Amino acid sequence: MIILDGIKNFLMLVNDHWTEIIVVAGLALAVWKKVAAYLEKTDEEKIQIAKEQLRETILKFVTQAEEDYDDWVKAGAVKRAQVIDVIFQKYPILNRVTDQEALIAEIDNLIDEALDVLREILSKN
């Protein structure tokens, strides 16, 4: 009798919350597919993904460094080092790049572009 009550309660729970169950199952399946697709990628493909994300978020890192060292005069090297440190913390896959000098040069170019954008934004405001 206890087993039948348990089955009855379970079926009532499913009946009452079937839409939520389907939504959660669908979301779990979507996340599973995305994670599996990412894990199947090679390190080189993961590095490319990190570089693309970096292009989108570097302005935030540069702005944070500018705010942190606002009172410092001629702190460009310190700001640059902070931005690069944050980049390697946020994207540890970049540590696997074999040509680190080329990567740093690419990051420097992105920093320069972000600084130009930041100056343009500040001049408009």
Side-chain angles (χ1 to χ4, degrees):
M1 190 68 173
I2 294 175
I3 294 175
L4 292 177
D5 285 339
I7 293 173
K8 176 184 169 191
N9 289 339
F10 174 75
L11 291 175
M12 287 178 61
L13 176 78
V14 170
N15 187 43
D16 292 342
H17 301 287
W18 66 272
T19 54
E20 292 94 348
I21 293 170
I22 290 174
V23 168
V24 169
L27 287 174
L29 180 63
V31 169
W32 176 262
K33 284 185 175 184
K34 281 291 191 181
V35 169
Y38 180 77
L39 293 176
E40 290 175 359
K41 294 186 183 298
T42 64
D43 279 350
E44 197 61 37
E45 290 171 325
K46 290 176 185 177
I47 289 168
Q48 284 304 113
I49 291 170
K51 285 180 180 178
E52 289 301 318
Q53 289 176 350
L54 181 60
R55 281 185 181 84
E56 297 172 6
T57 59
I58 197 157
L59 182 61
K60 180 177 105 177
F61 300 150
V62 170
T63 304
Q64 184 62 45
E66 289 290 333
E67 288 176 3
D68 290 347
Y69 296 98
D70 188 36
D71 296 335
W72 290 36
V73 178
K74 299 190 181 212
V78 175
K79 293 175 190 176
R80 175 185 171 274
Q82 177 182 338
V83 170
I84 291 173
D85 186 47
V86 169
I87 288 169
F88 279 97
Q89 287 176 6
K90 296 275 185 187
Y91 303 100
I93 189 73
L94 294 177
N95 289 317
R96 295 185 184 173
V97 174
T98 53
D99 190 3
Q100 287 289 315
E101 290 179 12
L103 177 63
I104 297 296
E106 189 175 338
I107 290 172
D108 280 338
N109 289 337
L110 291 174
I111 290 172
D112 291 339
E113 291 172 13
L115 282 170
D116 291 340
V117 170
L118 181 63
R119 287 183 189 117
E120 183 179 320
I121 291 170
L122 290 176
S123 69
K124 288 181 182 178
N125 292 334

